[in-house]
Amino acid sequence: MKAVKIYEKGGLEQLVVDEVAKPEVRAGEVLVRVNVAAMNRRDVFVRKGQYPGVKFPAIPGADGAGEVVEVGEGVSNVEVGHEVVINPALNWGDNPRVFGPDFSILGVPVDGTHAEYVRVPAENVTSKPAYLEWDEAAALPLGGTTAYRALFTRGELQAGETVVIPGIGGGVATFLLQMATAAGANVYVTSSDDAKIEKAKQLGAVDGVNYRTEEDWRKQLKKMTGGADLIVDTIGGDVFNELVNLANSGSRIVTFGATAGPVNNLMMPLVFLKQLDIKGTSMGTPEEFAAMLSFYEKHEIHPVIDTSFSLDQIREAHEYMEKGQQFGKITLKC
């Protein structure tokens, strides 16, 4: 089979499409013919050797959807021919509040979905919602589960609340916007690109602010929103203090990223005087994965697909992702 292989950390030249042996299915596992996979920022970090536990050589890729072509001994929940979506969260464990010591995500260290076939535990596949196209289904797993847990489990979102999503454009941010809007929240966004703000409004955002052109973007956003009840942040850095300022008393900030680096000089008096809840989150449980798919199906939401590449165009896909100009998910036809 064809698969993307990374033999050592480095630049785009380290991405090689090779012929490798098809995985052999063991008891309790299934083999999925991957119709479409999807990209995540994680794949770039893996290639650069910047992801915890990364080992080379590696077949990257967490997200994918396809058809079951082989089942191992003892598998009863799925049959050959079933169209499925893959849950990339492996071995979450028994505690829904936090993953256990054996937890990992498909793609590292276990071979991932950027290949024609992938082997996964049978419990990690779920029937593909019939209304979704293959690329839409493949786009959902990692980002959709992360967004669902951030909004509903950790963020405790309620209808009518004001939600702020900084840095709209990436896959997880668009999932946050779609789900929060469907849940009845009033959503506001920030971006360095006016076009992305307009696209967000088309998806249901009330409004947004360009933090690059507006010097006092936080004050502008505060005036628009009256303050935020829930902020879901992936940026960190100096932006985080602005978000603490923006938050209403008794509100929540959920964080699962720090693209701008560590938060320096956190304004602790505002945190405790406002009685803020600052919560970390990462991926989600099998139950949250299933709930996310059900939520999308109930509301018939279509994930936003920005661009699709072929597996042979993996270098172009990585380069495009690193530019950060996409709005929605990047997918790979396998």
Side-chain angles (χ1 to χ4, degrees), residues 266-274:
L266 180 62
M267 293 181 288
M268 289 305 298
L270 280 181
V271 173
F272 59 74
L273 289 173
K274 286 187 173 185

Side-chain angles (χ1 to χ4, degrees), residues 109-162:
V110 178
D111 287 343
T113 58
H114 293 178
E116 291 182 310
Y117 295 88
V118 65
R119 179 181 64 194
V120 293
E123 63 189 20
N124 281 73
V125 296
T126 299
S127 295
K128 180 180 81 70
Y131 81 100
L132 290 178
E133 299 294 334
W134 281 110
D135 57 349
E136 294 173 332
L140 269 174
L142 189 149
T145 306
T146 299
Y148 185 92
R149 181 177 173 87
L151 284 175
F152 299 111
T153 306
R154 304 292 283 157
E156 303 177 72
L157 176 64
Q158 300 296 314
E161 291 190 311
T162 296

Side-chain angles (χ1 to χ4, degrees), residues 1-7 12-20 58-60 114-116 310-316 318 332-334:
M1 71 172 188
K2 287 201 303 186
V4 175
K5 291 282 282 191
I6 305 174
Y7 289 96
L12 298 174
E13 73 281 356
Q14 299 299 334
L15 297 162
V16 180
V17 179
D18 265 352
E19 284 290 334
V20 302
I59 298 177
H114 293 178
E116 291 182 310
S310 70
L311 202 64
D312 290 323
Q313 294 174 306
I314 189 63
R315 293 182 181 180
E316 290 92 330
H318 272 243
L332 297 170
K333 307 291 186 183
C334 297

Side-chain angles (χ1 to χ4, degrees), residues 286-334:
E287 292 76 18
E288 287 163 334
F289 173 77
M292 177 273 297
L293 287 180
S294 295
F295 187 93
Y296 263 75
E297 194 163 17
K298 174 183 176 182
H299 296 279
E300 294 191 354
I301 306 169
H302 289 270
V304 179
I305 308 300
D306 179 280
T307 309
S308 292
F309 294 89
S310 70
L311 202 64
D312 290 323
Q313 294 174 306
I314 189 63
R315 293 182 181 180
E316 290 92 330
H318 272 243
E319 184 177 30
Y320 186 73
M321 170 159 274
E322 286 192 273
K323 289 179 179 178
Q325 297 175 349
Q326 79 270 14
F327 189 94
K329 291 288 289 186
I330 301 168
T331 60
L332 297 170
K333 307 291 186 183
C334 297

Side-chain angles (χ1 to χ4, degrees), residues 161-176:
E161 291 190 311
T162 296
V163 177
V164 169
I165 304 170
I168 195 66
V172 182
T174 58
F175 296 146
L176 289 165

Side-chain angles (χ1 to χ4, degrees), residues 92-301:
W92 177 276
D94 298 328
N95 186 351
R97 289 187 54 81
V98 63
F99 52 73
D102 297 326
F103 174 77
S104 66
I105 297 174
L106 196 63
V108 169
V110 178
D111 287 343
T113 58
H114 293 178
E116 291 182 310
Y117 295 88
V118 65
R119 179 181 64 194
V120 293
E123 63 189 20
N124 281 73
V125 296
T126 299
S127 295
K128 180 180 81 70
Y131 81 100
L132 290 178
E133 299 294 334
W134 281 110
D135 57 349
E136 294 173 332
L140 269 174
L142 189 149
T145 306
T146 299
Y148 185 92
R149 181 177 173 87
L151 284 175
F152 299 111
T153 306
R154 304 292 283 157
E156 303 177 72
L157 176 64
Q158 300 296 314
E161 291 190 311
T162 296
V163 177
V164 169
I165 304 170
I168 195 66
V172 182
T174 58
F175 296 146
L176 289 165
L177 170 58
Q178 289 181 314
M179 284 190 275
T181 301
N186 303 306
V187 182
Y188 295 80
V189 301
T190 73
S191 176
S192 60
D193 186 338
D194 287 337
K196 290 186 178 183
I197 293 174
E198 288 305 310
K199 288 180 181 179
K201 290 165 70 173
Q202 293 169 16
L203 287 177
V206 178
D207 212 338
V209 172
N210 188 320
Y211 61 78
R212 181 166 292 171
T213 60
E214 297 290 341
E215 185 176 347
D216 293 327
W217 64 267
R218 191 259 305 165
K219 290 182 179 179
Q220 291 262 25
L221 201 54
K222 184 68 175 281
K223 186 176 180 180
M224 278 182 186
T225 62
D229 302 309
L230 173 63
I231 300 169
V232 183
D233 178 50
T234 62
I235 299 173
D238 294 338
V239 170
F240 197 83
N241 273 325
E242 300 289 355
L243 300 178
V244 169
N245 263 301
L246 181 64
N248 286 329
S249 294
S251 63
R252 295 91 66 204
I253 300 175
V254 177
T255 175
F256 56 87
T259 56
V263 179
N264 297 314
N265 303 315
L266 180 62
M267 293 181 288
M268 289 305 298
L270 280 181
V271 173
F272 59 74
L273 289 173
K274 286 187 173 185
Q275 302 198 49
L276 301 182
D277 287 341
I278 298 177
K279 301 181 179 183
T281 192
S282 180
M283 270 303 289
T285 65
E287 292 76 18
E288 287 163 334
F289 173 77
M292 177 273 297
L293 287 180
S294 295
F295 187 93
Y296 263 75
E297 194 163 17
K298 174 183 176 182
H299 296 279
E300 294 191 354
I301 306 169

Side-chain angles (χ1 to χ4, degrees), residues 22-25 29-32 67-72 80-81:
K22 187 188 298 184
E24 295 184 3
V25 176
E29 297 178 334
V30 298
L31 186 68
V32 177
E67 182 179 328
V68 175
V69 294
E70 190 177 344
V71 300
V80 171

